[in-house]
Amino acid sequence: SMVETFTKYMLAVKIDNARKVFSLNQVFFAGLPATTWTSEWSLFGSSGDDAVVRERLETLVATLMQTPEYQLF
């Protein structure tokens, strides 16, 4: 998943599964179903419209940058 990839490359240490699930569901998906992300990603791929994709990725990266594990890096 995107969260798995970003945490692997951005954080100095691994975070536990509960925090990954929280980051995925509450931060990345913003409480929406995963199918919403799939639809938005498909729209981005077909039309180049990155409004939602960019906002979700920027939010995820900004949130990860605020974690103690990022600060260790």
mmCIF file of all heavy atoms in Angstrom, residues 48-67:
data_model
loop_
_atom_site.group_PDB
_atom_site.id
_atom_site.type_symbol
_atom_site.label_atom_id
_atom_site.label_comp_id
_atom_site.label_asym_id
_atom_site.label_seq_id
_atom_site.Cartn_x
_atom_site.Cartn_y
_atom_site.Cartn_z
ATOM 1 N N GLY A 48 -5.398 12.600 -15.845
ATOM 2 C CA GLY A 48 -4.333 13.473 -15.359
ATOM 3 C C GLY A 48 -4.800 14.432 -14.274
ATOM 4 O O GLY A 48 -4.011 15.227 -13.770
ATOM 5 N N ASP A 49 -6.070 14.367 -13.902
ATOM 6 C CA ASP A 49 -6.608 15.223 -12.844
ATOM 7 C C ASP A 49 -6.085 14.721 -11.500
ATOM 8 O O ASP A 49 -6.497 13.685 -11.006
ATOM 9 C CB ASP A 49 -8.136 15.189 -12.874
ATOM 10 C CG ASP A 49 -8.757 16.067 -11.795
ATOM 11 O OD1 ASP A 49 -8.024 16.773 -11.078
ATOM 12 O OD2 ASP A 49 -9.997 16.044 -11.677
ATOM 13 N N ASP A 50 -5.164 15.473 -10.926
ATOM 14 C CA ASP A 50 -4.511 15.013 -9.691
ATOM 15 C C ASP A 50 -5.005 15.723 -8.435
ATOM 16 O O ASP A 50 -4.391 15.604 -7.375
ATOM 17 C CB ASP A 50 -2.997 15.158 -9.801
ATOM 18 C CG ASP A 50 -2.542 16.608 -9.793
ATOM 19 O OD1 ASP A 50 -3.385 17.507 -9.956
ATOM 20 O OD2 ASP A 50 -1.341 16.831 -9.612
ATOM 21 N N ALA A 51 -6.117 16.437 -8.514
ATOM 22 C CA ALA A 51 -6.577 17.237 -7.382
ATOM 23 C C ALA A 51 -6.722 16.414 -6.109
ATOM 24 O O ALA A 51 -6.136 16.752 -5.072
ATOM 25 C CB ALA A 51 -7.897 17.923 -7.722
ATOM 26 N N VAL A 52 -7.459 15.339 -6.151
ATOM 27 C CA VAL A 52 -7.686 14.530 -4.954
ATOM 28 C C VAL A 52 -6.446 13.709 -4.615
ATOM 29 O O VAL A 52 -6.038 13.614 -3.457
ATOM 30 C CB VAL A 52 -8.921 13.612 -5.125
ATOM 31 C CG1 VAL A 52 -9.073 12.665 -3.949
ATOM 32 C CG2 VAL A 52 -10.181 14.452 -5.299
ATOM 33 N N VAL A 53 -5.819 13.128 -5.622
ATOM 34 C CA VAL A 53 -4.628 12.299 -5.398
ATOM 35 C C VAL A 53 -3.535 13.134 -4.742
ATOM 36 O O VAL A 53 -2.933 12.719 -3.751
ATOM 37 C CB VAL A 53 -4.142 11.685 -6.730
ATOM 38 C CG1 VAL A 53 -2.792 11.025 -6.571
ATOM 39 C CG2 VAL A 53 -5.172 10.691 -7.256
ATOM 40 N N ARG A 54 -3.280 14.294 -5.281
ATOM 41 C CA ARG A 54 -2.237 15.173 -4.727
ATOM 42 C C ARG A 54 -2.558 15.548 -3.282
ATOM 43 O O ARG A 54 -1.700 15.485 -2.401
ATOM 44 C CB ARG A 54 -2.091 16.430 -5.560
ATOM 45 C CG ARG A 54 -1.066 17.412 -4.989
ATOM 46 C CD ARG A 54 -0.969 18.666 -5.831
ATOM 47 N NE ARG A 54 -0.504 18.380 -7.159
ATOM 48 C CZ ARG A 54 0.782 18.311 -7.504
ATOM 49 N NH1 ARG A 54 1.711 18.496 -6.598
ATOM 50 N NH2 ARG A 54 1.130 18.055 -8.742
ATOM 51 N N GLU A 55 -3.803 15.908 -3.005
ATOM 52 C CA GLU A 55 -4.179 16.312 -1.653
ATOM 53 C C GLU A 55 -4.003 15.163 -0.660
ATOM 54 O O GLU A 55 -3.471 15.361 0.434
ATOM 55 C CB GLU A 55 -5.636 16.794 -1.641
ATOM 56 C CG GLU A 55 -6.040 17.376 -0.307
ATOM 57 C CD GLU A 55 -7.264 16.708 0.277
ATOM 58 O OE1 GLU A 55 -8.035 16.086 -0.466
ATOM 59 O OE2 GLU A 55 -7.427 16.811 1.499
ATOM 60 N N ARG A 56 -4.404 13.972 -1.017
ATOM 61 C CA ARG A 56 -4.267 12.816 -0.119
ATOM 62 C C ARG A 56 -2.800 12.491 0.130
ATOM 63 O O ARG A 56 -2.395 12.223 1.253
ATOM 64 C CB ARG A 56 -4.967 11.585 -0.695
ATOM 65 C CG ARG A 56 -6.466 11.649 -0.768
ATOM 66 C CD ARG A 56 -7.153 11.587 0.609
ATOM 67 N NE ARG A 56 -7.179 12.891 1.229
ATOM 68 C CZ ARG A 56 -6.991 13.163 2.526
ATOM 69 N NH1 ARG A 56 -6.792 12.239 3.393
ATOM 70 N NH2 ARG A 56 -6.996 14.387 2.992
ATOM 71 N N LEU A 57 -1.979 12.518 -0.914
ATOM 72 C CA LEU A 57 -0.552 12.221 -0.753
ATOM 73 C C LEU A 57 0.149 13.307 0.055
ATOM 74 O O LEU A 57 0.986 13.007 0.920
ATOM 75 C CB LEU A 57 0.120 12.032 -2.111
ATOM 76 C CG LEU A 57 -0.306 10.788 -2.884
ATOM 77 C CD1 LEU A 57 0.307 10.798 -4.277
ATOM 78 C CD2 LEU A 57 0.074 9.523 -2.142
ATOM 79 N N GLU A 58 -0.182 14.560 -0.193
ATOM 80 C CA GLU A 58 0.427 15.649 0.581
ATOM 81 C C GLU A 58 0.049 15.553 2.054
ATOM 82 O O GLU A 58 0.881 15.789 2.926
ATOM 83 C CB GLU A 58 0.009 17.003 0.008
ATOM 84 C CG GLU A 58 0.697 17.323 -1.302
ATOM 85 C CD GLU A 58 0.214 18.622 -1.936
ATOM 86 O OE1 GLU A 58 -0.792 19.208 -1.477
ATOM 87 O OE2 GLU A 58 0.851 19.049 -2.920
ATOM 88 N N THR A 59 -1.201 15.202 2.333
ATOM 89 C CA THR A 59 -1.643 15.044 3.714
ATOM 90 C C THR A 59 -0.897 13.903 4.392
ATOM 91 O O THR A 59 -0.452 14.032 5.535
ATOM 92 C CB THR A 59 -3.165 14.803 3.772
ATOM 93 O OG1 THR A 59 -3.825 15.931 3.198
ATOM 94 C CG2 THR A 59 -3.649 14.599 5.192
ATOM 95 N N LEU A 60 -0.760 12.791 3.696
ATOM 96 C CA LEU A 60 -0.037 11.646 4.256
ATOM 97 C C LEU A 60 1.417 12.010 4.553
ATOM 98 O O LEU A 60 1.917 11.757 5.650
ATOM 99 C CB LEU A 60 -0.091 10.452 3.298
ATOM 100 C CG LEU A 60 0.700 9.222 3.735
ATOM 101 C CD1 LEU A 60 0.154 8.644 5.042
ATOM 102 C CD2 LEU A 60 0.688 8.171 2.638
ATOM 103 N N VAL A 61 2.096 12.627 3.611
ATOM 104 C CA VAL A 61 3.504 12.989 3.809
ATOM 105 C C VAL A 61 3.648 13.995 4.949
ATOM 106 O O VAL A 61 4.523 13.853 5.805
ATOM 107 C CB VAL A 61 4.115 13.525 2.498
ATOM 108 C CG1 VAL A 61 5.480 14.144 2.736
ATOM 109 C CG2 VAL A 61 4.216 12.406 1.473
ATOM 110 N N ALA A 62 2.786 14.992 4.996
ATOM 111 C CA ALA A 62 2.848 15.993 6.073
ATOM 112 C C ALA A 62 2.635 15.340 7.434
ATOM 113 O O ALA A 62 3.323 15.674 8.409
ATOM 114 C CB ALA A 62 1.814 17.085 5.845
ATOM 115 N N THR A 63 1.710 14.397 7.510
ATOM 116 C CA THR A 63 1.448 13.694 8.767
ATOM 117 C C THR A 63 2.641 12.848 9.179
ATOM 118 O O THR A 63 3.039 12.854 10.350
ATOM 119 C CB THR A 63 0.185 12.817 8.643
ATOM 120 O OG1 THR A 63 -0.925 13.666 8.319
ATOM 121 C CG2 THR A 63 -0.103 12.071 9.928
ATOM 122 N N LEU A 64 3.232 12.134 8.239
ATOM 123 C CA LEU A 64 4.406 11.314 8.554
ATOM 124 C C LEU A 64 5.586 12.176 8.994
ATOM 125 O O LEU A 64 6.359 11.778 9.867
ATOM 126 C CB LEU A 64 4.793 10.445 7.353
ATOM 127 C CG LEU A 64 3.821 9.319 7.005
ATOM 128 C CD1 LEU A 64 4.267 8.615 5.729
ATOM 129 C CD2 LEU A 64 3.684 8.333 8.144
ATOM 130 N N MET A 65 5.719 13.353 8.420
ATOM 131 C CA MET A 65 6.818 14.238 8.795
ATOM 132 C C MET A 65 6.681 14.759 10.222
ATOM 133 O O MET A 65 7.659 15.211 10.810
ATOM 134 C CB MET A 65 6.918 15.403 7.813
ATOM 135 C CG MET A 65 7.413 14.969 6.449
ATOM 136 S SD MET A 65 7.376 16.285 5.215
ATOM 137 C CE MET A 65 8.608 17.397 5.868
ATOM 138 N N GLN A 66 5.500 14.677 10.785
ATOM 139 C CA GLN A 66 5.275 15.142 12.150
ATOM 140 C C GLN A 66 5.486 14.032 13.183
ATOM 141 O O GLN A 66 5.460 14.293 14.391
ATOM 142 C CB GLN A 66 3.858 15.695 12.298
ATOM 143 C CG GLN A 66 3.664 16.944 11.473
ATOM 144 C CD GLN A 66 2.224 17.424 11.502
ATOM 145 O OE1 GLN A 66 1.425 16.997 12.316
ATOM 146 N NE2 GLN A 66 1.885 18.318 10.592
ATOM 147 N N THR A 67 5.732 12.815 12.742
ATOM 148 C CA THR A 67 5.910 11.700 13.685
ATOM 149 C C THR A 67 7.310 11.723 14.296
ATOM 150 O O THR A 67 8.268 12.188 13.659
ATOM 151 C CB THR A 67 5.706 10.337 12.996
ATOM 152 O OG1 THR A 67 6.730 10.146 12.026
ATOM 153 C CG2 THR A 67 4.338 10.233 12.352
#
